[in-house]
């Protein structure tokens, strides 16, 4: 990769960012698409996010941003335009700088998860799903799974009110049967074809589990959005139970591919 004055700059904005290997994936993929493009990390503290986005508005050779923890929800209130996916998720994980300096926010968590899931051999059409987490990632995944045609979606969250709110929004938008519960009142896991952890539990290698997999069917698929060098405790437990699994990194490559269309293609705010 040769960086010149004509190179489009792209930053992964979060904190901490030193451990990120995603810039390598972005740079390799965008180079393969023929773009003069350079991605690197930008370590931004929460108190400085608004200033960072204000600076991006004024720098013409910044193509866009990937927004990661802990900024996805805050960034949604700081951009100028939103795609439908960003509005539904209530969070932003990609930002495109328009030629006039305005910022369009997008969310590819749901679409990336869906592509990763299908790439892992699971077709969600007609399936019964238990989804843990009603934050930005959980919201994005819930809408994508519902739109894809799951027959039953149970949303579980520590804040039960948030789960009920999301279930009502998903049902209203897609017409599927979406229900809600607290994480302490989960039903028999054998009733589900797909179990998804869309919380941060399991991040950092501490051994924490977002839920007990007792009773899960060996024919079920268990997916975790947490990305780590090794299997998360949930994925390790699922493998021991004989389940098929999808690791968090499986939703990263599809998002990189989809972001190329958003940044250089026809996706509109």
């Amino acid at each position: 990769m040769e960086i010149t004055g004509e190179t489009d700059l792209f930053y992964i904005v979060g904190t901490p960012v030193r451990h990120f290997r995603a810039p390598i994936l972005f740079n390799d993929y965008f180079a393969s698409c023929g773009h003069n493009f350079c991605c690197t990390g930008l370590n931004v503290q929460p108190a400085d996010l608004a200033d960072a986005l204000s600076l991006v508005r004024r720098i013409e050779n910044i193509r866009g941003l990937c927004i990661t923890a802990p900024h996805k929800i805050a960034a949604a209130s700081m951009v100028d335009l939103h795609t439908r996916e960003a509005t539904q998720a209530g969070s932003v994980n990609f930002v495109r700088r328009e030629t006039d300096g305005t910022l369009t926010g997008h969310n590819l968590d749901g679409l990336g998860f869906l592509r990763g899931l299908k790439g892992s051999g699971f077709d969600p059409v007609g399936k019964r799903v238990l989804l843990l987490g009603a934050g930005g990632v959980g919201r994005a995944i819930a809408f994508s799974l519902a739109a894809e045609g799951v027959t039953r979606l149970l949303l579980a969250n520590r804040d039960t009110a948030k789960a009920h709110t999301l279930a009502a929004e998903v049902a209203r938008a897609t017409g599927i049967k979406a229900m809600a519960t607290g994480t302490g009142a989960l039903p028999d896991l054998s009733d589900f074809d797909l179990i998804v952890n869309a919380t941060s539990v399991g991040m950092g290698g501490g051994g924490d589990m977002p839920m007990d997999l007792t009773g899960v069917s060996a024919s079920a698929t268990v997916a975790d959005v947490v990305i780590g060098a090794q299997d998360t405790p949930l994925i390790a437990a699922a493998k021991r139970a004989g389940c098929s699994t999808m690791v968090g990194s499986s939703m990263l490559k599809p998002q990189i591919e989809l972001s190329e269309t958003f940044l250089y293609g026809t996706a509109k705010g």
Side-chain angles (χ1 to χ4, degrees):
M1 178 178 62
E2 183 178 355
I3 301 174
T4 70
E6 296 182 348
T7 300
D8 288 335
L9 303 180
F10 180 83
Y11 297 98
I12 301 179
V13 177
T15 185
V17 299
R18 289 186 180 274
H19 65 289
F20 286 174
R21 295 190 57 80
I24 298 172
L25 302 179
F26 273 99
N27 286 324
D28 287 349
Y29 182 75
F30 278 74
S32 74
C33 294
H35 298 298
N36 187 350
F37 173 96
C38 178
C39 170
T40 188
L42 201 64
N43 197 87
V44 176
Q45 298 298 326
D48 299 321
L49 181 61
D51 287 340
L53 294 181
S54 179
L55 183 62
V56 169
R57 287 183 172 89
R58 298 195 294 271
I59 300 179
E60 294 182 2
N61 60 333
I62 293 181
R63 172 65 63 165
L65 310 168
C66 174
I67 307 292
T68 188
H71 302 314
K72 292 183 181 183
I73 293 176
S77 66
M78 298 177 185
V79 298
D80 306 296
L81 301 169
H82 300 81
T83 62
R84 176 177 59 87
E85 291 82 3
T87 299
Q88 288 180 336
S91 65
V92 161
N93 74 333
F94 281 89
V95 172
R96 181 179 64 218
R97 184 191 182 279
E98 310 294 355
T99 55
D100 63 356
T102 56
L103 303 179
T104 297
H106 193 20
N107 192 299
L108 288 171
D109 280 326
L111 295 173
F113 177 85
L114 201 58
R115 282 199 180 185
L117 193 61
K118 292 179 179 179
S120 300
F122 185 90
D123 182 357
V125 176
K127 300 300 194 300
R128 303 160 298 171
V129 181
L130 170 62
L131 173 61
L132 275 70
V137 176
R139 289 180 61 89
I141 291 174
F143 279 103
S144 289
L145 286 172
E148 194 65 16
V150 300
T151 56
R152 179 186 174 200
L153 179 61
L154 177 62
L155 304 167
N157 197 62
R158 285 183 301 178
D159 183 341
T160 308
K162 285 182 67 175
H164 279 286
T165 297
L166 178 56
E169 291 179 23
V170 170
R172 186 165 55 248
T174 66
I176 76 151
K177 185 178 182 181
M179 298 171 292
T181 187
T183 52
L186 297 178
D188 184 352
L189 297 187
S190 65
D191 288 339
F192 298 97
D193 306 299
L194 174 65
I195 297 171
V196 183
N197 173 41
T199 76
S200 61
V201 178
M203 187 178 294
D208 294 331
M209 290 267 289
M211 62 179 297
D212 184 353
L213 287 181
T214 299
V216 67
S217 170
S219 64
T221 293
V222 176
D224 199 339
V225 304
V226 174
I227 299 175
Q230 304 178 24
D231 287 344
T232 62
L234 180 68
I235 292 296
K239 287 181 176 180
R240 289 193 298 270
C243 300
S244 298
T245 60
M246 175 190 148
V247 296
S249 58
S250 295
M251 62 185 285
L252 177 58
K253 183 180 178 182
Q255 290 191 69
I256 292 173
E257 295 170 351
L258 289 162
S259 73
E260 190 271 337
T261 300
F262 175 62
L263 294 171
Y264 288 96
T266 58
K268 301 295 183 182

